[in-house]
């Protein structure tokens, strides 16, 4: 078969991800698609995968993607005639200590929140299901009966056949060597067998995806790591339908295979492969067996399954797989090139993800928009710092090493820090700040009082920062606090048509007079919330846009890519040009008035306005906004003046009791006030009406904007889900998110955020209440609510208004 000279879409890579993407592009979209594989299909990482297929993740959308894989693998043979080896064996996860058990209780609740029936079993029940297992050290196990295992090569061949049946053209032995680019877009794929003109490219090149990306100037931050498992001879008494096992406290996993066991693990001292280019001739190749390194898994596995001591090892597999700095895979359109899509970095769950990842990626390629909330895997969660290969390696190895460690709430990574610091870093450190990191920035999470170690001590219950964070919270409510939020992403849009461009991109009316600022969502074509940010009008032709630290690449790309053609509007990232100090609390005005000659009275400087004011010889952009529900200003300071302005505020604020406050108190404060967090409370899956943010949508104005049509189409129909707040009186309960919401004893949703409100003295959660027949105020208010927290029911009260309203200083019960 000769290569075509043109294809609408070229998929690079014939592993499970490329084949699944090609299959879905052909089947669902009838796309003109060509797949190019440099060797034979499956010859990269896919052929040597162990084949365990788990489904539960902490994100509802990713769980949905993985559940889709299972559905696909079940039925694929009937369509293509090629078996996938799918076996629904179920999966046992073993717990040997109390923290792990709490983790599983929360996990089982999450599973039920996502519609999966995960059970918790006693050691005796585990023994009955898996008689060869030693269960003396177990507290119990979680049991997900719908998990299973499959044959990675067979699935991939079956997907490839399906893709061909639906019209895709697959070519082996064709290597992509470069791209012809025009205006930042790919116009042709160059190969060792000729060029193919195309409209879109999907980079599914596995561990080669980074270097294939470089050919188009894009960054795919992944790191190949050596991963090993063994396959044993037949073990007497091992059932062919034995459940797969994950034994995280012993860092190992097991799967039955032709009467023997596959056993592998995630060691704390993983071995990176190259940070350079991966060789092109790595077809069906493995590394040499490394029994010395594997010994740590063997020792643990024998304790769990003593029969392993006597059985022979048929084969050891030591193969490379690409891992990423946060353990999630990488999907979506590259920020640097509008027509290169990526599906790579699968962190040893590419077989489990393959079917679903191909499904959503194909849809993304065709629509140019993610079909559901895929933020946790979106390539735009990374930034320029992820071009540093050594940093990516170190952080990735840390993430790999933590694959099976207990996932404590609020846990921070340690490697590659500090990476980016604000000018106040040393001052805040001197004030006993305990830092966390977000997109490379060190940010104060809390401040340890004298006598308390400046260190997070993680716990499944209340942590060592609970008391100090409560004090910081109370301080902001009663006096005044200062937050270093210099890591905020900041952009400027300039040009004669800047107002028109933003009017189209933003759901709220941002085309206001100079000096006004607007809180707004940016919507996708389904009316889902793609971003949540503040837009300040500095001049007729100049806007200042502020968004969350982690959303820097994503929001910038979203705005830039949606400026209508032909408009004079240029977007620039000015993040590093400004430090941001948020002065919040009832005493904020007194402090500000003491450092500036500007009139900061409410009449002269009302809420929702931006002014340039002088502080400590610097011209500061002061934005009158709040995320804590108190009087306050965000002060955007020329970066070089940040320390001087901070010092001036601290000195002038001293009589008013000013103190620095960290991000954990900020979270507690915003929970009380009911401000939504993008990525958890509001996502591309949710419309502003569902989120209770309809007031921030300019439907009454006669201008078109992105998402308007979808919102109008839905208007009038009852909302099937609505965002609501909940409080739990029982102070011993700990909310972490994803707890199930019960109304009249029936599940109606799950928490998207959870935490503790110090002023309220109660646990606070938020989430969507769902009802197929519509969610009216009456429906919401009339129910009796409970939350399922770590498998236990606890009574909860619903709140449709902010729980704390500082305008009348009244705490609403
Ligand atoms: C030891 C081991 C055990 C594993 N166990 C499991 C498991 O139990 N469950 C699970 O879900 N996952 C498991 N995995 C992970 C799984 O194997 C991978 O996530 C998955 O195979 C990744 O598929 P892929 O299509 O992204 O990459 P690959 O299979 O590597 O496919 C990428 C393809 O792109 C081709 N390519 C690269 N560059 C070019 C180019 N320039 N031109 C054309 N073609 C190119 C390559 O030749 C390759 O075939 C395991 C991995 C390892 C290493």
């Amino acid at each position: 078969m000769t290569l075509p000279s043109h294809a609408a879409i070229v998929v690079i890579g014939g592993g499970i991800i490329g084949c699944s993407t090609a299959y879905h592009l052909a089947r669902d979209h009838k796309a003109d698609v060509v797949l190019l594989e440099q060797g034979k299909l499956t010859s990269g990482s896919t052929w040597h995968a162990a084949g365990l297929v788990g489904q539960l993740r902490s994100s509802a959308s990713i769980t949905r993607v993985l559940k889709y894989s299972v559905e696909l693998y079940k039925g694929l043979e009937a369509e293509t005639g090629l078996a996938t080896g799918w076996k629904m064996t179920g999966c046992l996860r073993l717990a040997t200590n109390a923290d792990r058990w709490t983790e599983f209780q929360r996990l089982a609740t999450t599973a039920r929140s996502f519609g999966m029936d995960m059970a918790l079993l006693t050691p005796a029940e585990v023994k009955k299901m898996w008689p060869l297992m030693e269960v003396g050290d177990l507290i119990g196990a979680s049991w997900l009966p719908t998990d299973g295992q499959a044959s990675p090569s067979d699935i991939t061949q079956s997907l490839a056949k399906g893709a061909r049946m639906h019209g895709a053209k697959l070519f082996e032995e064709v290597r992509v060597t470069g791209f012809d680019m025009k205006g930042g877009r790919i116009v042709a794929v160059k190969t060792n067998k000729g060029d193919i003109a195309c409209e879109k490219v999907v980079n599914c090149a596995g561990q080669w995806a980074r270097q294939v990306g470089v050919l188009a100037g894009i960054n795919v931050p992944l790191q190949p790591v050596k991963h090993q498992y063994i396959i044993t001879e037949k073990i007497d008494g091992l059932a062919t339908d034995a459940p797969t096992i994950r034994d995280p406290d012993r860092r190992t996993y097991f799967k039955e295979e032709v009467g023997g066991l596959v056993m592998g693990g995630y060691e704390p001292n993983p071995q990176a492969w190259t940070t350079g280019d991966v060789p092109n001739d790595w077809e069906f190749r493995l590394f040499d067996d490394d029994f010395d390194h594997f010994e740590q898994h063997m020792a643990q596995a024998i304790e769990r399954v003593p029969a392993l001591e006597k059985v022979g090892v048929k084969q050891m597999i030591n193969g490379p797989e690409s891992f990423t700095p946060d353990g999630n895979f990488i999907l979506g359109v590259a920020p640097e090139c509008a027509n290169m899509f990526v599906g790579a970095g699968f962190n040893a769950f590419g077989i489990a993800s393959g079917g679903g990842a191909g499904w959503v990626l194909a849809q993304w390629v065709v629509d140019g928009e993610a079909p559901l909330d895929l933020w946790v895997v979106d390539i735009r969660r990374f930034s320029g710092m992820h071009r540093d290969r050594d940093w990516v390696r170190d952080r990735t190895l840390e993430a790999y090493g933590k694959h099976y460690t207990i996932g404590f709430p609020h846990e921070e990574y340690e490697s590659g820090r500090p990476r980016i610091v604000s000018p106040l870093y040393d001052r805040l450190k001197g004030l006993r700040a305990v830092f966390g990191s977000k997109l490379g920035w060190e940010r104060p999470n809390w401040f340890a009082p004298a006598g308390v170690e400046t260190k997070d001590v993680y716990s499944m219950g209340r942590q060592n920062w609970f008391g100090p964070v409560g004090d910081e919270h109370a301080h902001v409510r009663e006096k005044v606090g200062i937050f270093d939020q210099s890591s905020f992403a900041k952009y400027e849009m300039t040009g004669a048509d800047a107002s028109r461009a933003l009017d189209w991109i933003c759901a709220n009316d941002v085309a206001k007079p100079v000096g006004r600022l607007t809180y707004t969502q940016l919507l996708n074509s389904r009316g889902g919330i793609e971003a949540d940010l503040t837009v300040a009008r500095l001049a007729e032709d100049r806007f200042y846009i502020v968004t969350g630290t982690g959303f820097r690449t994503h929001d910038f790309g979203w705005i830039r890519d949606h400026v209508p053609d032909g408009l004079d509007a240029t977007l620039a990232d000015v993040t590093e040009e400004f430090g941001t100090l948020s002065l919040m609390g009832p005493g904020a005005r007194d402090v500000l008035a003491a450092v500036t000659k500007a009139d900061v009275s409410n009449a002269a400087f009302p809420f929702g306005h931006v002014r340039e004011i002088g502080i400590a010889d610097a011209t500061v952009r002061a934005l009158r906004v709040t995320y804590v529900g108190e009087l306050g200003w965000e002060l955007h300071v020329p970066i070089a003046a940040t320390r001087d302005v901070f010092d001036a505020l601290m000195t002038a604020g001293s009589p008013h009791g000013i103190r620095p406050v960290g991000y954990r108190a900020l979270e507690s404060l915003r929970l009380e006030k009911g401000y939504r967090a993008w990525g958890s409370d509001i996502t591309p899956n949710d419309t502003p009406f569902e989120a209770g943010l309809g007031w921030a949508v300019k439907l009454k104005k006669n201008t078109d904007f992105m998402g308007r049509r979808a919102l109008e189409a839905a208007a009038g129909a009852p909302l099937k889900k609505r965002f609501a707040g909940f409080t739990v009186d029982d102070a011993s309960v700990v909310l972490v998110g994803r707890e199930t919401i019960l109304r009249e004893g029936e599940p109606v949703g799950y928490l998207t955020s959870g935490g503790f409100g110090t002023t309220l003295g109660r646990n606070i959660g938020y989430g969507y209440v769902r009802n197929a027949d519509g969610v009216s105020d009456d429906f919401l208010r009339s129910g009796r609510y409970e939350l399922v927290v770590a498998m236990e029911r606890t009574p909860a009260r619903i709140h449709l208004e902010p729980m704390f309203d500082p305008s009348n200083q009244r705490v609403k019960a």
Side-chain angles (χ1 to χ4, degrees):
M1 211 167 38
T2 49
L3 280 188
S5 58
H6 176 271
I9 303 167
V10 175
V11 176
I12 305 167
I16 189 165
I17 306 302
C19 289
S20 177
T21 306
Y23 169 80
H24 287 92
L25 281 167
R27 189 195 72 175
D28 298 351
H29 307 285
K30 312 287 171 259
D32 166 23
V33 53
V34 162
L35 180 147
L36 306 175
E37 163 56 46
Q38 64 181 356
K40 295 282 181 215
L41 295 180
T42 78
S43 65
S45 289
T46 296
W47 70 279
H48 56 64
L52 282 83
V53 176
Q55 301 167 88
L56 183 61
R57 308 286 292 181
S58 57
S59 147
S61 293
I62 304 305
T63 302
R64 194 171 147 203
V65 166
L66 269 55
K67 277 163 89 171
Y68 175 94
S69 293
V70 165
E71 289 309 311
L72 181 72
Y73 302 163
K74 269 186 205 166
L76 202 58
E77 182 177 358
E79 184 190 354
T80 67
L82 292 185
T84 61
W86 167 251
K87 270 203 294 189
M88 196 176 88
T89 54
C91 174
L92 287 167
R93 271 171 209 268
L94 312 180
T96 67
N97 60 64
D99 283 341
R100 181 71 75 185
W101 190 239
T102 304
E103 184 184 39
F104 284 7
Q105 287 170 317
R106 289 180 181 160
L107 207 64
T109 303
T110 299
R112 290 187 183 186
S113 290
F114 297 168
M116 301 167 93
D117 208 6
M118 180 180 266
L120 295 178
L121 307 183
T122 63
E125 288 170 317
V126 173
K127 182 81 183 169
K128 219 163 144 196
M129 289 171 90
W130 230 96
L132 295 179
M133 189 195 304
E134 191 51 61
V135 298
D137 60 342
L138 292 193
I139 293 187
S142 73
W143 167 237
L144 195 56
T146 52
D147 276 356
Q149 61 186 62
S151 160
S153 295
D154 291 349
I155 301 172
T156 308
Q157 294 294 354
S158 194
L159 286 165
K161 183 166 177 207
R164 287 193 185 99
M165 285 163 61
H166 291 289
K169 300 184 192 83
L170 279 61
F171 296 88
E172 293 178 310
E173 319 277 347
V174 178
R175 173 171 303 139
V176 172
T177 54
F179 301 99
D180 277 338
M181 314 278 297
K182 212 171 173 184
R185 291 177 70 90
I186 297 169
V187 290
V189 175
K190 298 160 92 71
T191 82
N192 57 348
K193 305 265 171 79
D195 297 354
I196 306 176
C198 66
E199 277 87 64
K200 292 176 184 178
V201 171
V202 196
N203 175 359
C204 299
Q207 60 189 337
W208 294 265
R210 191 201 56 75
Q211 65 213 53
V212 168
V214 167
L215 299 173
I218 77 155
N219 184 36
V220 184
L222 51 77
Q223 170 63 49
V225 180
K226 298 176 179 178
H227 186 72
Q228 298 193 87
Y229 65 84
I230 55 162
I231 309 168
T232 74
E233 303 285 357
K234 220 166 168 309
I235 298 178
D236 286 343
L238 182 65
T240 52
D241 61 352
T244 58
I245 298 174
R246 289 181 174 82
D247 189 2
D249 296 330
R250 294 183 182 277
R251 296 175 171 273
T252 48
Y253 59 81
F254 303 82
K255 167 200 140 182
E256 184 276 340
E257 187 162 301
V258 278
L261 273 181
V262 160
M263 186 279 286
Y266 289 86
E267 58 279 17
N269 55 339
Q271 297 173 318
W273 194 21
T274 174
T275 51
D277 282 356
V278 173
N280 283 326
D281 60 349
W282 194 266
E283 195 182 353
F284 293 119
R285 277 175 65 182
L286 295 171
F287 303 111
D288 292 341
D289 298 348
D290 188 347
F291 273 101
D292 285 347
H293 192 69
F294 196 72
E295 173 60 29
Q296 52 187 322
H297 297 313
M298 206 61 212
Q300 291 290 338
I302 288 170
E303 300 258 319
R304 180 62 65 215
V305 184
L308 278 174
E309 196 163 12
K310 303 222 169 56
V311 72
V313 171
K314 204 159 62 180
Q315 195 184 357
M316 171 168 254
I317 302 281
N318 186 2
E321 158 70 339
S322 41
F323 288 82
T324 64
D326 61 5
N328 268 321
F329 52 87
I330 305 173
L331 225 56
V333 61
E336 307 94 334
C337 174
N339 65 344
M340 180 180 263
F341 293 78
V342 176
F346 276 85
N347 295 278
F349 65 106
I351 307 308
S353 320
W359 160 55
V360 290
L361 185 54
Q363 190 79 46
W364 202 333
V365 171
V366 169
D367 294 345
E369 198 172 280
L372 54 150
D373 169 28
L374 295 170
W375 169 239
V376 294
V377 296
D378 193 324
I379 191 168
R380 296 184 181 210
R381 70 187 188 277
F382 300 114
S383 68
M385 62 170 280
H386 293 98
R387 288 182 177 267
D388 179 340
R389 307 258 287 268
D390 292 338
W391 189 93
V392 167
R393 178 200 55 217
D394 292 350
R395 179 56 65 86
T396 301
L397 292 182
E398 185 187 359
Y400 178 109
K402 285 182 165 165
H403 186 84
Y404 274 156
T405 57
I406 294 170
F408 286 105
H410 310 288
E411 197 172 335
E412 295 278 348
Y413 284 104
E414 299 294 335
S415 57
R417 293 177 54 189
R419 174 75 193 184
I420 311 172
V421 296
S422 107
L424 301 179
Y425 179 71
D426 290 330
R427 279 181 176 51
L428 298 178
K429 211 170 173 187
L431 293 165
R432 305 180 59 76
V434 183
F435 291 90
S437 77
K438 193 67 163 270
L439 210 64
W441 286 81
E442 289 295 304
R443 311 190 314 170
N445 274 341
W446 59 288
F447 291 81
V452 175
E453 200 184 355
T454 50
K455 184 179 170 228
D456 282 343
V457 180
Y458 300 117
S459 162
M460 287 297 183
R462 301 290 182 213
Q463 304 89 345
N464 68 327
W465 62 80
F466 184 73
V469 166
D471 292 345
E472 290 174 30
H473 170 127
H475 200 88
V476 175
R477 288 266 182 265
E478 288 156 19
K479 292 184 175 156
V480 55
I482 186 163
F483 301 79
D484 180 9
Q485 300 195 279
S486 300
S487 63
F488 269 157
K490 308 156 200 110
Y491 323 124
E492 277 189 16
M493 185 176 270
T494 48
D497 298 320
S499 172
R500 272 177 67 197
L502 288 173
D503 215 17
W504 162 248
I505 294 166
C506 299
N508 206 345
D509 180 12
V510 296
K512 295 201 180 101
V514 172
R516 292 292 303 277
L517 62 86
T518 312
Y519 165 64
T520 185
Q521 277 79 48
L522 316 188
L523 308 183
N524 59 34
S525 61
R526 304 184 306 277
I529 302 172
E530 286 287 343
D532 173 78
L533 40 78
T534 312
V535 179
R537 189 163 203 173
L538 302 179
E540 281 302 319
D541 59 353
R542 191 155 170 232
F543 291 82
Y544 184 57
I545 302 168
V546 184
T547 189
T549 310
F551 315 138
R552 180 175 183 176
T553 311
H554 176 271
D555 291 5
F556 185 88
W558 184 269
I559 298 170
R560 180 200 55 197
D561 294 350
H562 290 95
V563 172
D565 284 345
L567 290 195
D568 171 15
T570 309
L571 188 70
D573 187 323
V574 295
T575 300
E576 276 79 16
E577 291 177 28
F578 295 92
T580 305
L581 302 175
S582 296
L583 186 68
M584 299 281 154
R589 179 172 288 117
D590 295 336
V591 177
L592 196 57
V595 293
T596 182
K597 292 195 182 79
D599 184 353
V600 294
S601 66
N602 195 47
F605 199 157
F607 187 76
H609 282 68
V610 56
R611 300 263 189 273
E612 289 202 333
I613 63 174
I615 304 177
D617 295 329
T619 304
V620 172
R621 285 178 187 171
L623 278 59
R624 174 104 191 260
V625 281
T626 176
Y627 193 57
V628 303
E630 298 294 340
L631 172 69
W633 282 265
E634 254 176 35
L635 303 172
H636 293 254
V637 184
I639 195 83
T642 310
R643 281 194 208 106
D644 289 346
V645 171
F646 177 77
D647 292 346
L649 289 164
M650 289 297 281
T651 306
S654 163
H656 304 281
I658 196 168
R659 61 161 295 176
V661 178
Y663 271 86
R664 293 205 175 121
L666 186 74
E667 172 68 6
S668 162
L669 290 156
R670 76 96 191 166
L671 284 173
E672 285 186 343
K673 190 65 176 81
Y675 290 121
R676 281 79 166 144
W678 191 81
S680 52
D681 302 328
I682 48 177
T683 74
N685 291 347
D686 317 305
T687 70
F689 293 107
E690 293 163 342
L693 295 171
W695 57 268
V697 180
K698 57 177 179 250
L699 271 186
K700 288 206 183 94
K701 209 182 156 197
N702 200 18
T703 38
D704 199 7
F705 61 89
M706 284 187 60
R708 178 172 189 130
R709 234 173 303 159
L711 294 186
E712 280 177 342
L719 292 171
K720 293 197 167 65
K721 64 174 193 187
R722 273 179 64 187
F723 193 71
F726 297 89
T727 49
V728 171
D729 290 342
D730 182 349
S732 70
V733 163
V734 176
L735 299 180
V736 294
R738 294 176 297 281
E739 292 82 359
T740 315
I741 305 168
L742 302 179
R743 181 182 177 279
E744 302 298 338
E746 293 297 320
V748 288
Y750 56 89
L751 296 190
T752 50
S753 280
F756 189 79
T758 308
T759 310
L760 260 64
R762 295 193 195 101
N763 290 293
I764 300 176
Y766 288 93
Y768 290 87
V769 174
R770 294 167 164 80
N771 182 32
D773 296 330
V775 184
S776 63
D777 276 6
D778 191 46
F779 179 86
L780 286 174
R781 288 189 209 281
S782 63
R784 180 182 54 85
Y785 291 92
E786 293 160 289
L787 297 181
V788 185
V789 183
M791 299 297 269
E792 299 280 339
R793 286 176 179 216
T794 185
R797 256 180 293 177
I798 192 162
H799 299 259
L800 302 185
E801 306 290 334
M803 297 163 196
F804 175 77
D805 185 352
S807 57
N808 54 15
Q809 294 293 316
R810 186 161 53 87
V811 176
K812 294 184 176 171

